[in-house]
Amino acid sequence: MSDTEGALKGKNYAILKKRTLVEGEDAILEYVVDAPLIARHAQAGQFVILRTANEGERIPLTIAAYDREAGTIALIVQIVGLSTRKMAELEAGDAILDLLGPLGTPIEVRRHEKPVVCMGGGVGIAPIWPKVKELYDLGNHVITIIGARTKRLLILEEELRAISTEIHVTTDDGSYGRKGFVTGVLHDVLEQREGEIAEVIAVGPLPMMEAVVKEMAGKGFRDAYDPSLEYDPSRIPCIVSLNPIMVDGTGMCGGCRVSIWDHAKGEYQARFSCVDGPAFDGYAVDFAGLNRRNRQYISQERVARRDGSGAGA
Ligand SMILES: Cc1cc2nc3c(=O)[nH]c(=O)nc-3n(C[C@H](O)[C@H](O)[C@H](O)COP(=O)(O)OP(=O)(O)OC[C@H]3O[C@@H](n4cnc5c(N)ncnc54)[C@H](O)[C@@H]3O)c2cc1C
Ligand code: FES
């Protein structure tokens, strides 16, 4: 009996629906999974860690949507390496072997007098979806800015349009929406609505989140953003959701350690993304250090992808 059959027998985490959002090598897939307990407790900003097979790597994925009544959660996954490729083989009717969650600290969502900006880049558009929904449901003016490298990779535009007060779309290559990066739109929004933005939430690739922080910190800010050099408490809050390597998701293994500047102590403090995050004050994040840590397993991942051995696990 395969792992999948075993899990289905126990009716654990059955996949109820599978939808292809983007086709191809770098496909983006949406799974609706039967997980009533997780659905009951999930909040915006939280994630799950799952395995599709006993010998498999543990994959952290944001809870992109949840339906408490139906007892389901939605996961959106981009195929990047061995484990996500194995996940792509699962179809509706299969089951996920194990699923731990909801993990992480939820992002505080409340009603603001001023507009809130939610930014999603690439597959980071998925994690921004529940935040936009919760903010919009509370009556906020939500300015959503989403972007992808090219039109083919743009996901969830219609879903987000339905729950945003305004939506702006960019593609790096200009194949759809405004040509350029999401930070270009942010720049204009900040200029046109000076003093009118309550907060900015950004989720996407690390360079995108770092660029958002730099834009928020002020034009002409030094290239390598250093949180220790400048701290202005009157800045518009800017929340980013970090994606370091994760293993256990419980704060025990240290794999997801990130350095966060502690303004009171005047030094970096180690934080664990899985329990203290994944959302953090963007101005306090040591992006350079996180970049270095995220790249440390690149050669093992290459081997795992080449021979399918799971050596990167
Ligand atoms: C809190 C959190 C939420 C995430 N949410 C989503 C999501 O909603 N949708 C989505 O498509 N992806 C999400 N990711 C990233 C996803 O976990 C990785 O893409 C996936 O684990 C890659 O596994 P792989 O074996 O297919 O690729 P690999 O070949 O192992 O890795 C490819 C790249 O993925 C990243 N990566 C690999 N393993 C991990 C890991 N355990 N933790 C974090 N990053 C890793 C690394 O940057 C690596 O270079 C999230 C990551 C975190 C930490
Ligand atoms: S994933 Fe192990 S400490 Fe966070």
Side-chain angles (χ1 to χ4, degrees), residues 298-310:
I298 276 183
S299 53
Q300 287 96 323
E301 282 156 8
R302 231 175 262 139
V303 172
R305 268 196 291 267
R306 196 186 56 224
D307 64 11
S309 66

Side-chain angles (χ1 to χ4, degrees), residues 54-166:
N54 271 328
E55 68 280 8
E57 197 176 42
R58 294 152 65 80
I59 317 174
L61 293 174
T62 306
I63 301 170
Y66 48 83
D67 183 332
R68 299 201 204 287
E69 278 184 21
T72 58
I73 58 170
L75 303 172
I76 293 180
V77 56
Q78 180 157 44
I79 311 309
V80 293
L82 186 64
S83 306
T84 43
R85 206 172 299 149
K86 290 214 158 124
M87 181 159 178
E89 289 166 10
L90 296 181
E91 302 295 339
D94 290 336
I96 292 168
L97 178 65
D98 52 53
L99 190 64
L100 182 68
L103 299 171
T105 304
I107 289 190
E108 191 204 348
V109 176
R110 62 189 171 88
R111 171 89 167 85
H112 297 274
E113 290 312 311
K114 298 174 183 173
V116 181
V117 177
C118 291
M119 305 180 65
V123 77
I125 297 173
I128 211 76
W129 187 16
K131 297 174 191 81
V132 171
K133 181 163 187 337
E134 288 192 6
L135 284 162
Y136 189 74
D137 286 349
L138 283 172
N140 281 292
H141 181 117
V142 185
I143 303 172
T144 302
I145 308 172
I146 54 172
R149 265 183 285 135
T150 186
K151 182 177 184 202
R152 184 180 72 82
L153 294 170
L154 187 77
I155 58 169
L156 301 175
E157 183 192 354
E158 286 319 308
E159 288 83 347
L160 284 163
R161 189 174 292 283
I163 51 172
S164 303
T165 319
E166 302 171 32

Side-chain angles (χ1 to χ4, degrees), residues 187-200:
H187 176 94
D188 292 352
V189 168
L190 293 176
E191 233 169 45
Q192 285 155 10
R193 298 174 181 256
E194 212 182 324
E196 285 176 33
I197 299 296
E199 69 175 2
V200 172

Side-chain angles (χ1 to χ4, degrees), residues 270-306:
R271 293 278 179 267
F272 296 125
S273 241
C274 62
V275 287
D276 302 316
F280 290 97
D281 166 12
Y283 300 116
V285 174
D286 172 15
F287 282 101
L290 181 51
N291 242 316
R292 274 195 304 275
R293 275 181 72 79
N294 270 7
R295 295 172 63 80
Q296 66 187 330
Y297 298 111
I298 276 183
S299 53
Q300 287 96 323
E301 282 156 8
R302 231 175 262 139
V303 172
R305 268 196 291 267
R306 196 186 56 224

